Amino acid sequence: MNRPLLIENARIMDPASETFVNGALLAENGKITAIEEGAAPGAPDGATRIDATGLILAPGLVDMRVFTGEPGHEYRETLASAAAAAAAGGVTSFVCMPDTSPVIDDSALVDFIIRRAAAANGVHVLPAAAMTKGLAGEEITEFGLLKDAGAVCFTDGRKSVGSTALLRAAFTYAANFDMPVVHHLQDAGLAGAGVMHEGLMATGLGLKGIPAEAETIPLERDLQLAALTGVRYHAAQLSAAASVAIMARHRQANAKISCGVSINNLSLNENDIGSYRTFFKLSPPLRGEDDRQALIKGLKTGTIDVIHSGHDPQDVEVKRQPFAEAGDGAIGLETLLAAALRLVHSGDVDLMTVFRAMSTRPAEILGLNAGRVAVDAPADLILVDQDYPWVVDERELNSRSRNTSFENARFSGKVMRTFVAGNEIYRHGEDDK
């Protein structure tokens, strides 16, 4: 049992109820037990008191898309190093993708992730189970056993299922277990050997492009199948303006569908690739500025539900290649919030919308008791200095890999402290590398 925690003089934000209160919060036995406007009425004996003057107290972030290297590629990332990066970034829960070696496609491996995560710095590591065996897109996994073992959703991670018939069966199966399906959208035939967004930039660089239709065509198919089967469907990450329009049209008739976007696609565009910078080689690719603006608009209007890090650690040998041959992916757990606050500082999106997309909505989609600052809610909390200036130094990041797309980026806004169940798991300046 941990000591009671009293946080005073904070700007307490609850995205679930869209409220701001200037006051104090008390947490006991892992839960929030009181929220008081103004001065704290007092604290239990032995309580830890924190003066949060000038800071925002918000729910811990819930990141729906995190790849790790464990098991199989621990040199890229372990669950423990991912959890350390998460804590430093204010992420108190993250979904661990099944793209490991071996693939997380049976109940024993789900159990392995849960047991290994128990020592992961207190951060909640939530295993996602593969939708198809070996991520091969040919045979559906045992959804019932995987759910019973503790999987929070079904997904084929980086891969997109090509077979419409198999996808229909998977959606029907998942609906029977009331489990969400999270699907990466990329038509393999249309993407072909493309390595970046199809357009003038790709032509100028002499690289093969990936058209937006490689995303919009499977999205249309998936949404029709979602309506047919009644599954809780989540499009993992949109990148194209046309995808936002499609999503907006379909969600008017189907309340069970949702979608996410990577902070990379919200913050960057194809021009950032510059002279073949492989840290910007991502899937889906960075697209044009018009697409980025459409994604921001979709976030503001509620068409886009979730912002995630797309955290995907890759080692130096994978990234130190010619652009066309380099691997996809960038780390992002530690920079997720700071990058999202850029949208707030620029006036593109308000603070409440950003936090709702990174805490409340992902928790709702996954059916988690998280993403709220309310009495009886878990004391998974962060203290944020919205204006703290800092520069990203990849050597100081907690991830085992260094492939950040925000190298040397200047940010305003940082997580000062992170708590899980009322226990402090990160404090800026003390636990940083």
Side-chain angles (χ1 to χ4, degrees), residues 363-407:
E364 290 174 346
I365 290 165
L366 295 168
L368 306 177
N369 184 18
R372 298 178 295 132
V373 179
V375 173
D376 289 333
D380 297 346
L381 303 163
I382 55 175
L383 282 171
V384 179
D385 183 338
Q386 187 180 344
D387 299 312
Y388 185 90
W390 63 292
V391 178
V392 177
D393 183 340
E394 77 280 6
R395 297 167 299 180
E396 296 182 354
L397 298 176
N398 285 276
S399 175
R400 284 195 170 186
S401 295
R402 297 287 178 260
N403 55 310
T404 173
S405 52
F406 293 103
E407 183 180 5

Side-chain angles (χ1 to χ4, degrees), residues 325-363:
E325 299 168 21
D328 297 325
I331 59 173
L333 272 166
E334 232 162 315
T335 51
L336 171 61
L337 177 60
L341 287 175
R342 276 184 169 179
L343 302 172
V344 177
H345 291 304
S346 65
D348 287 324
V349 186
D350 64 82
L351 190 65
M352 195 71 77
T353 297
V354 164
F355 270 91
R356 185 169 60 245
M358 296 194 295
S359 58
T360 309
R361 280 301 288 145

Side-chain angles (χ1 to χ4, degrees), residues 7 49 75 122 181 188 196 199-200 220 246 265 312 317 338 370 418:
I7 302 175
R49 303 183 73 129
Y75 58 92
V181 169
M196 67 174 291
L200 291 175
E220 279 279 14
I246 291 168
N265 290 96
D312 193 355
E317 296 306 316
T418 302

